[in-house]
Structures are given as structure tokens and as C-alpha cells.
Amino acid sequence: MGTAASKNPGFSGEKGGVFQRVYAEVVMMVRLQPMTETEYQAFLADAVKEYAGDHVRGGRWSQDEALEESAKEFAQLLPEGPKTPDHYLFTVVDGDHNRPVGTLWYMVRPGPNGKTAFIYNIRMNEDARGQGYGTQTLKALEADAQARGVVSMSLHVFGHNEGAFRLYQRLGYRTTNIVMAKDLK
């Protein structure tokens, strides 16, 4: 004969006549808050540096040209900063503690089967990494994009960013193409 614990998933068993509830996952909520101009300027400074470093590491740019090239690309993509049409820039806020934990930037454009979104940048603050904020941010992003009529999403991930790659796979993103390189030095 089964116990109440075996009949009720989530209960670990009886202890002193009281059932203990086992929680497999802590539920946290993040809020996507549109970036202020001040937040945008801080985001831009960090993102340009990080993007430049990723391209140096990936072999696309030399160290000497990287910051300038990165700044040019950001200026082309965001000519009106956070007010650039069809681009959405957010500060990711921990809903429980009301503190910033990261940033997010994506764009919506027409696609062959409806609106599509491209994630340009998702970054969690150093002290917020490995705590589930990335997962919750992507889930909040999906809800935001669906509310805008988006039917599919895509992104680029640098090959050296293995943690992000695993996160995207876990959330259902699939590889659509791969660019490979080999140093001959």
C-alpha cells in the first residue's frame, strides 16, 4: 500500500505527521525595464568593449582596430540609441529585490513567415551569473517578443562562449550554421 508521499508528487515523505514539500526549482522573476539614456550610455561603453574583445579573440579584428570597428558597428545598428525603431533595449531587473542584474537588446524585423527577432546582446552582471537570471531573461524576452507578434527568434553566439551556447540549446535554440577557423601560425 502506497503512502501519501508516493501518491503526491513533490512530497518527500512523512516526518512527525507533517509532510515536507520538496521544491526542485526556485522560481524567480525578472522584469525587462526599458533602458534610460544613462543606462544606455553605460551599456554601450561596456558592450562596445566586450564585442571588440570577442572579435579579437575570434580572429576577425586586430587589437589595434577592434574598439573603433566595434563602435562603428554599434553606431550603424543603433543610430538613434535606445530610440532606434524596432530595437528594444532593456535593463534586466530582479523582480524580488528590484536590482539590475543584466542587460538585453533585441530587434524585430519582417521574416518570410511573420515577424522575427534577433537577439543582439544579452548579458548578466558578474555577480548575477550562474543563478538562473539568463534563463529567466530569455523567457521574459520570449513573452515580450510574442506580445509584439514575433513568431521566431535567432541569435549569434561566439564559439568560445560555451556556457551561453549550452543555455541556448537547453531553451530550444538550434544550430542553423557554423563558421569555423584554424590558425596556421
Side-chain angles (χ1 to χ4, degrees):
M1 181 169 165
T3 66
S6 65
K7 294 178 186 174
N8 296 306
F11 284 96
S12 63
E14 192 172 358
K15 181 177 182 181
V18 178
F19 285 95
Q20 297 176 336
R21 183 84 172 152
V22 176
Y23 292 94
E25 182 178 326
V26 174
V27 177
M28 70 173 68
M29 298 299 287
V30 296
R31 186 174 69 252
L32 302 180
Q33 180 174 293
M35 278 185 197
T36 65
E37 185 62 36
T38 302
E39 290 169 332
Y40 173 72
Q41 292 304 322
F43 158 79
L44 185 62
D46 289 343
V48 165
K49 273 192 265 181
E50 186 175 342
Y51 189 65
D54 284 337
H55 279 289
V56 168
R57 190 171 177 184
R60 180 175 177 209
W61 296 329
S62 71
Q63 188 72 44
D64 293 338
E65 69 183 332
L67 279 176
E68 182 180 336
E69 292 299 319
S70 180
K72 275 195 242 177
E73 284 197 21
F74 274 82
Q76 289 171 347
L77 291 167
L78 294 167
E80 297 175 41
K83 295 179 180 156
T84 302
D86 301 320
H87 287 255
Y88 304 95
L89 292 104
F90 298 100
T91 296
V92 181
V93 178
D94 177 322
D96 293 333
H97 300 98
N98 203 35
R99 70 178 178 99
V101 293
T103 55
L104 171 67
W105 165 28
Y106 80 100
M107 178 190 82
V108 175
R109 61 182 170 222
N113 300 313
K115 289 182 182 178
T116 185
F118 184 81
I119 304 168
Y120 277 102
N121 187 285
I122 177 172
R123 184 175 192 281
M124 298 298 104
N125 299 345
E126 290 289 334
D127 64 344
R129 293 184 183 172
Q131 300 177 46
Y133 289 112
T135 298
Q136 292 303 313
T137 299
L138 287 165
K139 288 179 179 182
L141 163 59
E142 289 173 12
D144 188 79
Q146 285 178 322
R148 297 176 197 278
V150 170
V151 298
S152 67
M153 299 184 73
S154 62
L155 55 83
H156 170 270
V157 61
F158 284 96
H160 60 264
N161 196 345
E162 295 172 8
F165 185 78
R166 285 190 303 273
L167 170 64
Y168 301 140
Q169 282 187 314
R170 192 172 68 247
L171 293 176
Y173 290 82
R174 68 189 191 295
T175 302
T176 58
N177 61 66
I178 297 174
V179 176
M180 298 175 75
K182 178 181 179 180
D183 286 332
L184 299 178
K185 299 180 198 179

